[in-house]
Amino acid sequence: MQQGQMAAMSKEMQRCVEACMACHTMCEQAMSSTLQMGGGQAEMQIMRALMDCTELTRICADMMMRRSPLMAEMCAMCARACEMCAEACMSMPNDPQMARCAESCRKCAEMCRSMAGAAA
């Protein structure tokens, strides 16, 4: 992202884009960790949540950066995916990677809910 684009964005939107990208990265790392564990039914449910969250956070950040007219709806959907992912990650409370992922997802969900309300 170019510096001029970030300067033109509101601080709130900039923080939301950063939260989305941080969450995207954290979910990617958690997916890699989950794949290494092998897969039972519980791991597959976690993988689906991680995949949804990874894709939606990336798309949401892209839409905010280009000021898409669909940004508010995408932020709301992204918040929902992040909340679901945080819940899925917390089903493995003893895994520090999953705990960090859940924390990142919760932060992103909060920022996206705020953006969805502000852009509506």
Side-chain angles (χ1 to χ4, degrees), residues 36-83:
Q36 291 174 357
M37 282 185 233
Q41 186 62 26
E43 287 79 13
M44 291 306 296
Q45 288 179 316
I46 293 169
M47 281 298 291
R48 281 192 282 275
L50 287 165
M51 291 169 75
D52 287 349
C53 193
T54 298
E55 289 300 318
L56 287 172
T57 51
R58 183 189 54 78
I59 292 168
C60 190
D62 288 347
M63 291 177 91
M64 282 186 281
M65 287 187 285
R66 67 175 178 263
R67 312 292 194 299
S68 170
L70 301 173
M71 181 180 75
E73 290 101 337
M74 181 53 68
C75 285
M77 185 182 296
C78 187
R80 184 164 183 243
C82 287
E83 290 165 355

Side-chain angles (χ1 to χ4, degrees), residues 1 3-18 64-65 67 71 75 111 114-116 118-119:
M1 179 178 342
Q3 188 66 7
Q5 286 177 309
M6 289 303 277
M9 272 191 233
S10 71
K11 292 289 184 190
E12 182 181 21
M13 189 181 297
Q14 182 178 344
R15 285 192 301 272
C16 190
V17 167
E18 290 167 359
M64 282 186 281
M65 287 187 285
R67 312 292 194 299
M71 181 180 75
C75 285
M111 298 295 298
S114 177
M115 282 307 301

